[in-house]
Amino acid sequence: MFKIIEKKFLSENVAKLVIEAPYIAKSRRAGHFIILRIDKNGERIPLTISDADVEKGTISLIVQRVGVSSHKLCAMNAGDFILDVVGPLGKATHIANVGTVLCAGGGVGVAPLFPIVQAMKLAGNRVITIIAARNKDLVILENEMAEYSDELIVMTDDGSKGTKGLVTLGMEEVILREKVDQAIVIGPAVMMKFAALTTKKYDIPTMASLNTIMVDGTGMCGACRVSVGGKTEFVCVDGPEFDAHKVNFDEMLSRLGAYKEKESENYDEYVKSCEAAALN
Amino acid sequence: MEEELNEEYYKAERKTEWRDKLRKEIKAKERTNISRVRMPEADPDVRNKSNLEVNKGLTLEMALAESHRCLDCAVPTCIVGCPVGTNIPKFIKYLEAGDVLGAAEVLKENNSLPAICGRVCPQEIQCEAQCFYVKKLSKEGAAIGHLERFVADYAREHGPETIPGLAEPNGIKMAVIGSGPAGLTVAGELAKFGYDVTVFEALHDLGGVLKYGIPEFRLPKSIVDYEINTIKNMGVKFITNFIVGKTATIDDLKEEGFVAFFIASGAGLPNFMNIPGENFSGIQSANEFLTRVNLMGGGNKNFDTPVHTGKNVVVVGGGNTAMDSVRTAKRMGAERAIIMYRRSMEEMPARAEEIKHAIEEGVEFINLASPIEYFADERGKVNKMRVQKMELGEPDTSGRRRPVVIEGSEYDIEVDSVVIAVGVSPNPIIQQSMPELEITKWNTIKVDDNMMTSIPGLFAGGDIVRGGATVILAMGDGRKAASGMHSYVQSEVFVNI
C-alpha cells in the first residue's frame, strides 16, 4: 500500500499526487516512470514521475482525467492508499552538456518533461522550454519550469495565455533564431509527431518520450511495442525515450486506441455508478 | 537435468520391513495386469465455457488401485526422470499402505510444490517415461503425476497445515529475485537451512508464471496461494512491487545485509515473428493475453483491464503456452479458436494431454501453416491474416523435420484477434542493471555447476538461465542453487567473520 501524502488540482482535469515510495524516490532519475494499480480490480497504468523528494521518500505524479483509472485516481485524496506502485521503470534520460536544448511539452506531457528540464539545466545546458496547452486553464508547472529554464515560452491554442498557436510554431521560431543542439518533445502522440517533423527539417537530434499502453512494464508482455526505424522496440525496457525522427507515430496512435471501445464502455459504467452513488 | 541415484539409500529404504511386506502382498504379475487409472475430466462442452478445472483428480479408491501397479522396483529408474529427485516408489508405497499423509511428507522432502507439479509437469517425458512398465513391458507407466496430485490435494484438504522441519534460524539474509517456481523452491530450501529469506517480486501478485501464465482451468490460483502460504509459514518474507535492478540494485541490497542472491526473473520477454503488420492492434503476445486474463481479470466485467478476443481468434505456435492461450480464447467466447502451427501434429511441443483437451473443447488446428502478413481496418485493428502453407523437409538440429514453404500456397483468414505464442526470451532488467554479469549469446545468464553466475554470491536458475523451459526444471535448478548458496555462504561468510 502506498500512501497519498498530498493531492491538488493543477487545472480542472489535471491533478498532482505526492505518494510515499521511498525506494522509488531514491532510485528514480529523469525519464523514469512507474506503474500503479489503484485497487484490486484496477488496471495497471504507467505514469511518469514528475518529481521526487529523497529526504521525505516521496514521488510526484501528474495525472490527467481521461478514462476510468485516471478519474478514480483524481478522486483520491491525501491519506488514501494506492494498492500497488512499482518502479522506477524504463531507461533514464541520457543527460549531458550538449549546448542548447529545446524542451517542448504539450498538455500533461509537460509533467514528465519537468525532471528532464531540471537535469538538463543542472548539467550546464542552455535550456529553452516551451509549454503548450489548449487554453490558459490547462497550462501547468509554469513556475517550476521557469526556475530551471533560461527562457520559458508559454503557448496556447486559443491565445488565452502566452503566444497563440501550436507548439511547433514556437519551436520553429526558436530554431530560426538560434542554434539548437538537441530537442526533447513530450506530449500527445500527434503533437510529438509534428514536433519531430519540425526538428527533422533542421536536422536537430530529437528525443521523444512515449506513453504507450502497458501491463507489467518490465518487458514481459509487449503491449507497449512501437516501431522505431522499422524495428520493434518495447517502450517499457528499451525506452520510454527514442529518436523522435525514427518513431512510427501513426502506428503508435492506432495502438493507443486499441481498447477505445472497451474503455468508453467502462467509462460510461463508471459515470453511471458515480451518479448512482451521488443519488444515494 | 537428472539427479544421480543414491542407490544405497534407496535400497536401504526399500528393504524396510513394511515395504518388503507390502511388496509381497500382491504378486508382480497381478500388479502388472491392473490397467492404468483414467483421470476424470470435466465435460468438454461445459468446461470450455467456464474456468472449471479440467482434470478433476482421482478418488481415494482410484488412487489406491493405481498405487498397486507400482512394482517398487529394486532400481527405481523413475526417480532418475524427476528433475527434483522425488522418492517416487516411497511415496506411492505409503499411499498403498493407506498412509496418505505419510506419502505427502515424502513428496515434501524434495518438492515444495507437489500439488502444482502433479498438475503441470510433463510426467510422460520424465518420471513416467522411465517407469519399468514403459521401458520393459511396453505398457502405460504408473500414473505418477496423477498420484502426486492426489496425495498433495488430499493432504491439503484433510491433513493438518504442516511445514517441513527447519534448522535453527541463523540470521543470515538471503535474497530471492522472482516468486515463480524457481524462486519459490529456493526460498523453501533456504528456509529449511535456517536462513532469513526475502523474496522480491516485480508484479503485484506472487507466483510468477504460475499466476500470470498458467490458466485457472489447468492450475487453480487457490492451490498456488496455498503452497506460497506454506513457504510464508516457514518464515520466508515476500515483497511485491519490487524490481531488483530498478527499485533497488543488488549492491543496495548488499548494503542492507543480504549476503547471497538467487536470480529467477524468468523468461519475460515475448518473441514476435517480425512480419508485416504484426504491430496492428488486436495482435498480442501470449504473455500479454494470458496476463490480462489470468492476473488482471480481463474479460470479467468487474475488472477494469480490457483484453482483445473476438469470434475468430488465431493463436500462432504449438507449445503449452499456445494451448493455454487458445483454450482461454475459447472460454472467452471465440467461435473459432484456432491453433496455427508450422509443423505437423506429431512435432507439436505441447503436452499430449493439452492437445487432447484442446481438441475435445473444440479448438481447431491449422497445421503446416504460418502467417506471413497481417491486415487491418481503417482504425489499425487487425482483421485478416495471410497464411503460407508448409511441408516437412529434412530433420533440423532439433531432430524434428524442418518446415519448408510451399510456394504459391498463400491464403487469407479473417481474424478478430491474434495471439503470438512462438517462445520467449530472458527478461533483460537484471542484465541491464549489471553489465559485468556474464551472459550467453541468447541473453541468458551464465552459471556454473552450482548455479553460481560469474559474480560470486550471485546465483541464477529457471528460465533466466534456460531460456524457456518447464516449471519442474526451474524447480530442479532451485534445489541445486539452494545447496550451492548454502555451501557458498558456509565457506565464505563464516570464514570471513
Side-chain angles (χ1 to χ4, degrees):
Chain A
M1 300 283 270
F2 295 78
K3 191 175 183 182
I4 301 174
I5 301 297
E6 187 194 323
K7 182 258 182 118
K8 67 173 179 195
F9 277 100
L10 303 182
S11 72
E12 195 191 337
N13 283 316
V14 176
K16 177 184 172 186
L17 296 159
V18 178
I19 294 161
E20 206 169 61
Y23 274 108
I24 303 175
K26 197 175 155 208
S27 305
R28 75 98 206 189
R29 298 287 173 269
H32 279 146
F33 64 95
I34 55 101
I35 284 199
L36 64 78
R37 190 174 72 131
I38 298 168
D39 52 43
K40 68 179 178 46
N41 293 359
E43 56 185 337
R44 291 171 65 97
I45 55 167
L47 290 167
T48 309
I49 303 166
S50 66
D51 208 350
D53 187 326
V54 180
E55 306 271 291
K56 290 184 185 148
T58 60
I59 56 168
S60 302
L61 305 174
I62 290 179
V63 194
Q64 182 171 26
R65 282 201 283 224
V66 189
V68 175
S69 296
S70 51
H71 269 82
K72 281 186 186 170
L73 205 52
C74 288
M76 295 179 90
N77 288 305
D80 291 344
F81 287 87
I82 295 171
L83 185 57
D84 301 296
V85 178
V86 65
L89 297 163
K91 289 182 178 164
T93 310
H94 178 69
I95 301 292
N97 187 346
V98 293
T100 299
V101 182
L102 175 60
C103 299
V108 78
V110 169
L113 187 64
F114 173 66
I116 299 175
V117 165
Q118 203 177 25
M120 282 296 186
K121 181 66 199 165
L122 294 175
N125 292 289
R126 169 170 162 77
V127 179
I128 304 167
T129 305
I130 304 177
I131 56 178
R134 281 207 311 280
N135 61 53
K136 68 174 177 7
D137 296 331
L138 301 175
V139 174
I140 56 168
L141 301 181
E142 193 183 345
N143 295 337
E144 290 85 343
M145 285 294 200
E147 194 187 336
Y148 290 96
S149 305
D150 292 277
E151 185 185 348
L152 177 70
I153 302 166
V154 178
M155 305 200 61
T156 51
D157 294 2
D158 64 356
S160 55
K161 183 165 194 161
T163 313
K164 181 177 173 174
L166 296 174
V167 71
T168 43
L169 182 80
M171 291 175 72
E172 200 143 12
E173 267 181 30
V174 173
I175 294 166
L176 292 172
R177 185 185 72 195
E178 64 181 289
K179 182 172 177 290
V180 173
D181 298 290
Q182 195 193 336
I184 296 159
V185 297
I186 311 182
V190 180
M191 172 254 168
M192 291 193 281
K193 175 183 168 179
F194 287 101
L197 287 173
T198 304
T199 58
K200 191 157 190 205
K201 276 199 291 191
Y202 303 97
D203 266 338
I204 298 166
T206 302
M207 191 269 307
S209 176
L210 311 185
N211 53 339
T212 50
I213 293 172
M214 292 187 190
V215 183
D216 60 288
T218 61
M220 206 181 81
C221 82
C224 64
R225 64 195 193 274
V226 287
S227 296
V228 182
K231 192 172 162 253
T232 294
E233 303 263 16
F234 287 11
V235 173
C236 64
V237 286
D238 303 319
E241 292 166 4
F242 295 99
D243 180 343
H245 297 156
K246 292 186 178 163
V247 173
N248 182 340
F249 285 106
D250 292 329
E251 180 190 280
M252 181 185 159
L253 269 164
S254 105
R255 289 188 63 78
L256 279 169
Y259 297 100
K260 249 198 174 107
E261 281 167 36
K262 171 75 178 159
E263 278 163 1
S264 53
E265 243 173 66
N266 280 2
Y267 181 66
D268 291 345
E269 271 183 35
Y270 170 73
V271 172
K272 264 187 227 156
S273 70
C274 290
E275 282 167 0
L279 286 175
N280 286 333
Chain B
M1 155 186 170
E2 289 164 356
E3 293 204 353
E4 278 184 28
L5 271 186
N6 184 346
E7 284 191 23
E8 293 309 309
Y9 166 73
Y10 293 121
K11 269 187 188 148
E13 281 209 319
R14 185 174 177 270
K15 277 186 191 148
T16 48
E17 203 186 323
W18 69 273
R19 262 172 84 173
D20 251 341
K21 193 168 155 244
L22 198 62
R23 221 168 19 248
K24 286 169 189 156
E25 271 177 15
I26 304 173
K27 284 194 183 108
K29 178 101 175 114
E30 272 175 55
R31 291 181 186 271
T32 59
N33 281 336
I34 306 169
S35 49
R36 179 177 155 124
V37 69
R38 292 279 162 254
M39 171 62 80
E41 294 168 353
D43 183 330
D45 285 331
V46 174
R47 73 186 194 227
N48 68 7
K49 296 170 191 68
S50 77
N51 267 329
L52 214 62
E53 194 178 4
V54 173
N55 283 343
K56 301 204 299 200
L58 304 181
T59 62
L60 178 61
E61 293 70 32
M62 290 167 127
L64 287 174
E66 182 65 22
S67 72
H68 291 137
R69 290 184 72 224
C70 171
L71 298 170
D72 198 8
C73 302
V75 182
T77 46
C78 50
I79 301 176
V80 184
C82 177
V84 297
T86 297
N87 193 337
I88 294 164
K90 186 177 172 189
F91 101 78
I92 296 182
K93 290 305 120 180
Y94 264 102
L95 174 62
E96 185 180 335
D99 184 0
V100 190
L101 297 180
E105 290 298 307
V106 177
L107 286 176
K108 285 272 180 185
E109 281 172 17
N110 291 36
N111 182 344
S112 38
L113 314 168
I116 295 171
C117 291
R119 285 172 166 80
V120 303
C121 270
Q123 292 97 5
E124 64 280 4
I125 58 166
Q126 296 180 157
C127 52
E128 293 179 18
Q130 302 299 323
C131 176
F132 183 80
Y133 280 79
V134 174
K135 300 199 85 151
K136 299 284 188 264
L137 304 178
S138 297
K139 288 188 174 188
E140 287 184 292
I144 300 167
H146 294 348
L147 293 180
E148 179 181 35
R149 171 184 161 158
F150 171 80
V151 167
D153 284 357
Y154 184 94
R156 185 179 67 252
E157 285 157 13
H158 303 283
E161 225 175 289
T162 56
I163 57 167
L166 307 178
E168 268 305 293
N170 58 28
I172 299 173
K173 286 169 83 173
M174 301 279 229
V176 175
I177 301 162
S179 66
L184 290 176
T185 302
V186 167
E189 294 299 314
L190 290 177
K192 284 188 207 167
F193 288 128
Y195 293 104
D196 178 0
V197 187
T198 305
V199 180
F200 297 93
E201 168 57 48
L203 288 170
H204 57 257
D205 200 3
L206 299 171
V209 72
L210 305 171
K211 280 278 180 66
Y212 74 74
I214 303 176
E216 180 78 15
F217 58 83
R218 207 151 72 80
L219 178 63
K221 305 278 168 281
S222 58
I223 286 169
V224 180
D225 283 330
Y226 182 89
E227 306 274 27
I228 292 173
N229 209 38
T230 305
I231 296 171
K232 277 185 190 163
N233 290 339
M234 291 163 73
V236 173
K237 285 166 266 184
F238 287 87
I239 300 181
T240 53
N241 296 315
F242 199 108
I243 304 175
V244 176
K246 290 282 184 191
T247 310
T249 61
I250 293 215
D251 284 338
D252 293 334
L253 294 177
K254 277 185 186 160
E255 276 178 30
E256 290 190 16
F258 289 94
V259 297
F261 298 80
F262 180 66
I263 306 169
S265 46
L269 195 73
N271 296 340
F272 288 91
M273 295 169 70
N274 299 313
I275 59 175
E278 203 174 22
N279 290 345
F280 285 132
S281 68
I283 303 175
Q284 55 207 321
S285 71
N287 266 2
E288 179 181 355
F289 178 63
L290 292 171
T291 301
R292 283 179 181 274
V293 176
N294 296 337
L295 187 74
M296 305 304 302
N300 178 332
K301 70 177 183 59
N302 297 322
F303 289 77
D304 295 340
T305 300
V307 62
H308 286 296
T309 48
K311 280 186 193 163
N312 300 310
V313 181
V314 172
V315 176
V316 182
N320 289 322
T321 308
M323 295 306 143
D324 285 343
S325 302
V326 79
R327 295 170 71 197
T328 299
K330 188 78 195 170
R331 281 160 175 76
M332 297 183 76
E335 285 168 19
R336 292 186 75 189
I338 302 168
I339 282 285
M340 182 169 293
Y341 178 55
R342 62 197 183 121
R343 305 186 206 232
S344 76
M345 212 72 163
E346 272 170 44
E347 288 82 21
M348 214 172 266
R351 291 184 69 191
E353 182 185 80
E354 305 309 322
I355 298 171
K356 170 184 163 280
H357 286 161
I359 293 170
E360 289 167 356
E361 288 164 11
V363 168
E364 285 177 55
F365 286 75
I366 301 179
N367 294 332
L368 291 164
S370 187
I372 51 169
E373 187 172 0
Y374 297 97
F375 301 91
D377 64 17
E378 67 286 351
R379 290 174 311 155
K381 170 117 197 301
V382 70
N383 59 10
K384 193 167 74 176
M385 69 196 283
R386 185 152 297 161
V387 179
Q388 194 166 43
K389 290 187 185 173
M390 319 286 267
E391 59 191 349
L392 293 178
E394 295 301 308
D396 62 13
T397 45
S398 75
R400 295 178 301 174
R401 292 178 64 192
R402 188 193 305 272
V404 183
V405 167
I406 302 176
E407 294 299 338
S409 64
E410 296 84 5
Y411 66 104
D412 294 345
I413 300 180
E414 279 185 29
V415 291
D416 296 300
S417 70
V418 177
V419 177
I420 312 293
V422 295
V424 283
S425 299
N427 191 280
I429 286 182
I430 293 270
Q431 294 89 317
Q432 280 177 0
S433 76
M434 305 191 87
E436 67 277 26
L437 187 64
E438 274 184 41
I439 55 175
T440 67
K441 62 177 173 178
W442 300 281
N443 292 325
T444 52
I445 297 177
K446 270 191 195 169
V447 291
D448 66 14
D449 290 344
N450 296 315
M451 311 304 291
M452 190 155 89
T453 67
S454 58
I455 299 172
L458 196 58
F459 294 72
D463 280 356
I464 195 70
V465 165
R466 294 174 176 273
T470 59
V471 168
I472 190 70
L473 290 174
M475 292 175 56
D477 287 354
R479 277 184 64 78
K480 213 197 257 179
S483 55
M485 290 169 85
H486 182 51
S487 328
Y488 168 80
V489 169
Q490 296 305 317
S491 60
E492 293 291 318
V493 178
F494 289 129
V495 169
N496 291 338
I497 284 173

